[in-house]
Amino acid sequence: MPIGIFDSGVGGLTVYRALHNRLPNERFIYLGDTARVPYGTKSLATVERYAIENAEFLAARGIKLLVVACNTASALALPKIRARIGIDVVGVIGPGARKAVEITKFEANPRVAVIATEATVASSAYADSIRQASEKTEVVQTACPLFVPLAEENWTHEPETFSIAEKYLRNIVEFAPQALVLGCTHYPILREVIQQTVGERVTLIDSGEACAEETERLLAVKNLANPQKITGERRLCDDLDHFYVTDAAERFARVAERFLGAKPAKLEAVEIFGVDKLEN
Ligand code: DGL
């Protein structure tokens, strides 16, 4: 069975890439909720509803494990998703937070900064998860909403991007953290701008990478890894992986090509029917 992944849109492709690179023997089904993106500015109730609908859509297609690639959905809706579907669920918050604690654990005064969407910052999910793993770690969080459209436009080295990054990250530079969590699916695309702005001494943590490591561990512990070797060379977006979007498939394909260097071989536009709609 494949592993299911969902995100509010295209950003989760960075998490798909991390999973695909680490687990070349697995197949993936990806759902990008492009009709309802962004989640980062929406309320708890709305994000929970969308997240449950996405999880149920993937569960109905037969998956052995669900990865919630969207940081906002992970921060706000993980307990509700877990309660609703009877399969193991991996989010991005816990793995990213634990990685930050691991990297800073030998510091006399560990300091971790988190950048994320407005909803993720307001939920305090990263800060809570970091403090749960290490009480002595100081945490500062900042929302960087404009990073999402900049990443989608592929403005990865433009002067405007640098000046926006300087403004957003000023308080983080003053805080001088040892580690900075990229707590939004899109931020790894802007990695170089972010690294240059905060300085080389700050370790950037891609929560997608951390999530892929945790997924690998969970597959082993639960004995869920594919026992048969997939023969031949695996490529990102090859025809073993299936992509679904809720709108604008053409745009998704273009952005996927920019992010991953390839368009999905199998891409379908679908409508996600709400649970309420189905019941009525
Ligand atoms: N995928 C979202 C996240 O990681 C970013 C885009 C959005 O706001 O939906 O939080």
Side-chain angles (χ1 to χ4, degrees), residues 146-147 149-167 189-194 196-197 258:
L146 291 176
F147 280 177
L150 288 169
E152 294 210 0
E153 281 295 317
N154 210 27
W155 281 27
T156 52
H157 290 91
E158 271 67 5
E160 291 83 357
T161 311
F162 277 97
S163 87
I164 289 168
E166 252 165 56
K167 193 158 183 170
I189 307 287
L190 302 178
R191 195 183 181 107
E192 284 175 33
V193 175
I194 295 167
Q196 280 189 41
T197 307
R258 275 213 299 267

Side-chain angles (χ1 to χ4, degrees), residues 212-234:
E213 281 173 35
E214 195 131 323
T215 304
E216 187 176 31
R217 270 196 296 277
L218 191 66
L219 288 177
V221 169
K222 299 262 172 171
N223 213 8
L224 285 173
N226 182 8
Q228 282 155 8
K229 272 249 163 300
I230 293 180
T231 48
E233 203 204 332
R234 282 298 315 268

